[in-house]
Amino acid sequence: MSNPFHVTLDNGIAEMVFDHPPVNAFDSKGWAAIAAELERLGESPEVRVILIRAEGRGFCAGVDIKELAADPNLIVAVNKGNYDSFKAVHRNPKPVIIAVHGFILGGGIGLCGAADILVASDCARFGVPEVDRGAMGGGAHLQRLFPVQKVRHMYFTGEMIDAAEAYRLGAVERVVKREELREAALEIARAIAAKSPEMIALAKEALTGIEDGNLEDKYRWEQGFTLQAYRSLDSQEARDAFVDKRAANFKG
């Protein structure tokens, strides 16, 4: 499979665009490719800012559930791809701006929770349907976006937060119309790209260093529970029901 994204570079701004219909859900190889490209961009002296956005119905629906339904053992490779991708955003030496529209689910939440700045269209909706898919993960990154009790409500119920609420809670820098999203993100990227690369790199490293706790260690803790979840019969039933488009019949 070819990479589920394309990348352009213009005046120091690297633009990674997800384009993997129908919902920008990535398999284990797709997530590995995203991580590798983000690391490459972070190391490139030509890149000053990274912008991630998407084409299609929504920003990112997370992992490819059909791949995992067919082979649950691939959860290890998927976990690694997610971990590496989120880390490649959070620990990237370059500022990472993410522009979102439509649905932001699962791994999409991880990317947004790892980012430096978020811009959203007014149609954006954030959610974590993990428990309904027999999985765990994403709480650490979600908690970097929203308050603790809001995160737990989202996680336990599967209910989503819209762009206006995300802005009210401080997770999103701007909310704009869908057709204005790319330009709004580029406006911020240009302002950062015009500054001293050395000073911006130092600023990102300093700001990451003063965060409470270690985001990657927290996520690694969560991934242990993801593996435990995938060993349960309810987890397999959740994935099978999703693929079959039917109600799940849980026995646990």
Side-chain angles (χ1 to χ4, degrees), residues 173-207:
E173 179 63 27
R174 296 183 192 174
V175 178
V176 298
K177 295 184 183 301
R178 174 74 179 91
E179 60 269 21
E180 299 171 357
L181 180 62
R182 178 174 181 264
E183 183 56 35
L186 282 172
E187 183 180 342
I188 298 171
R190 293 185 194 108
I192 297 171
K195 299 184 183 299
S196 160
E198 182 180 7
M199 293 301 105
I200 293 296
L202 288 173
K204 174 147 186 183
E205 184 176 1
L207 292 170

Side-chain angles (χ1 to χ4, degrees), residues 117-136:
I117 298 169
L118 289 183
V119 181
S121 75
D122 52 14
C123 67
R125 299 170 73 233
F126 300 80
V128 277
E130 268 74 355
V131 295
D132 292 328
R133 305 289 183 263
M136 297 285 117

Side-chain angles (χ1 to χ4, degrees), residues 8-200:
T8 59
L9 177 63
D10 183 37
N11 291 320
I13 301 171
E15 192 172 354
M16 172 182 278
V17 183
F18 296 155
D19 192 6
H20 186 57
V23 294
N24 289 322
F26 309 126
D27 61 15
S28 51
K29 292 181 180 179
W31 282 108
I34 290 168
E37 181 62 14
L38 286 170
E39 289 175 1
R40 186 191 73 80
L41 293 173
E43 293 169 358
S44 171
E46 296 180 340
V47 175
R48 294 193 174 196
V49 184
I50 299 170
L51 167 61
I52 304 174
R53 63 179 185 88
E55 299 291 349
R57 292 161 48 192
F59 173 68
C60 178
V63 304
D64 184 349
I65 299 296
K66 292 181 180 179
E67 179 188 44
L68 291 172
D71 185 358
N73 291 321
L74 284 171
I75 186 59
V76 176
V78 171
N79 267 356
K80 182 176 187 338
N82 280 165
Y83 179 90
D84 290 345
S85 295
F86 306 162
K87 182 180 179 182
V89 172
H90 184 237
R91 297 286 177 176
N92 202 294
K94 312 296 170 61
V96 179
I97 301 168
I98 295 186
V100 296
H101 74 282
F103 45 78
I104 305 101
L105 305 171
I109 289 286
L111 292 170
C112 289
D116 295 293
I117 298 169
L118 289 183
V119 181
S121 75
D122 52 14
C123 67
R125 299 170 73 233
F126 300 80
V128 277
E130 268 74 355
V131 295
D132 292 328
R133 305 289 183 263
M136 297 285 117
H141 295 84
L142 196 67
Q143 202 161 292
R144 197 167 177 259
L145 296 170
F146 305 120
V148 172
Q149 281 77 16
K150 177 60 74 174
V151 167
R152 295 189 181 209
H153 182 269
M154 292 176 69
Y155 218 106
F156 296 157
T157 67
E159 292 183 13
M160 302 179 78
I161 283 181
D162 63 19
E165 180 69 352
Y167 178 80
R168 187 185 73 82
L169 293 171
V172 171
E173 179 63 27
R174 296 183 192 174
V175 178
V176 298
K177 295 184 183 301
R178 174 74 179 91
E179 60 269 21
E180 299 171 357
L181 180 62
R182 178 174 181 264
E183 183 56 35
L186 282 172
E187 183 180 342
I188 298 171
R190 293 185 194 108
I192 297 171
K195 299 184 183 299
S196 160
E198 182 180 7
M199 293 301 105
I200 293 296

Side-chain angles (χ1 to χ4, degrees), residues 88 158 225:
F225 290 96

